[in-house]
Amino acid sequence: MANQQTDPRTAWPDTAVVRSAQAGDAAAISVLIEGAHPHVRRFAASLCMSEQDAEDATQEALVILYRKVGTLRATAALASWMFTIVRNECVRRWTISRRHVLAEVTDLPLRASSSAEEAALAGIEASLVSAAIAELPPDQRQVLLLRDVHGYSGSTVAKHLGLSLPAMKSRLHRARAALRAGLDSPA
């Protein structure tokens, strides 16, 4: 284990770079952002539901890093801090898209309800659909959200998930059937 070298393409920026960036060194901030980018992007791609959301979450995390690196207390916490920012941004984007999907699935507009009864019914329907989607296995949930929620073409979804088009269609069919069954079963 002695003399083990880390690949600069896969290693996070070292403590000296982080400390210099925290002190306001513009060159160190640039090195820090460049060094963190591939790690943050990889994590965002694995967590976010679409390529665009992953790119947006990555950019948001790097902007926050740039603006708030001086508030980071422990240099060793950089990766954890960045991943928390990315996770929160992916969840935020998923929540926004879910609201739009639920409005489409329940045929209810995103506008305010005209009555308390209508608002209560919309909330019940939305929570039922949301719960049914959350119960799907991750692979089915992902294909359903990409295809039916985000509206990506079948070939785009298949490519993003590394599947053949027939395999993606099969998984989507199973996801839709499981969602229907989840919605039809008594609570």
Side-chain angles (χ1 to χ4, degrees), residues 41-161:
R41 182 68 176 91
R42 212 172 13 259
F43 183 68
S46 72
L47 188 60
C48 291
M49 293 308 301
S50 73
E51 190 68 28
Q52 184 60 48
D53 284 350
E55 186 60 37
D56 291 346
T58 299
Q59 292 306 315
E60 182 66 22
L62 294 175
V63 166
I64 291 171
L65 173 62
Y66 173 78
R67 289 188 355 223
K68 297 188 176 187
V69 69
T71 65
L72 183 63
R73 292 187 182 180
T75 58
L78 176 65
S80 176
W81 185 51
M82 294 303 296
F83 290 155
T84 299
I85 293 168
V86 170
R87 184 192 69 229
N88 291 344
E89 186 64 17
C90 288
V91 167
R92 186 184 74 77
R93 291 176 174 284
W94 181 80
T95 301
I96 290 168
S97 70
R98 186 182 77 183
R99 284 185 200 137
H100 290 281
V101 170
L102 293 176
E104 290 174 15
V105 170
T106 60
D107 292 325
L108 294 173
L110 287 172
R111 62 173 171 71
S113 301
S114 59
S115 72
E117 182 182 1
E118 188 177 303
L121 289 174
I124 291 169
E125 288 181 16
S127 61
L128 290 173
V129 173
S130 177
I133 290 172
E135 290 296 319
L136 293 174
D139 60 331
Q140 290 181 9
R141 184 173 51 246
Q142 189 175 33
V143 75
L144 180 84
L145 290 172
L146 287 171
R147 184 70 176 102
D148 292 348
V149 174
H150 293 288
Y152 291 109
S153 69
S155 59
T156 300
V157 173
K159 182 179 176 184
H160 177 75
L161 297 176

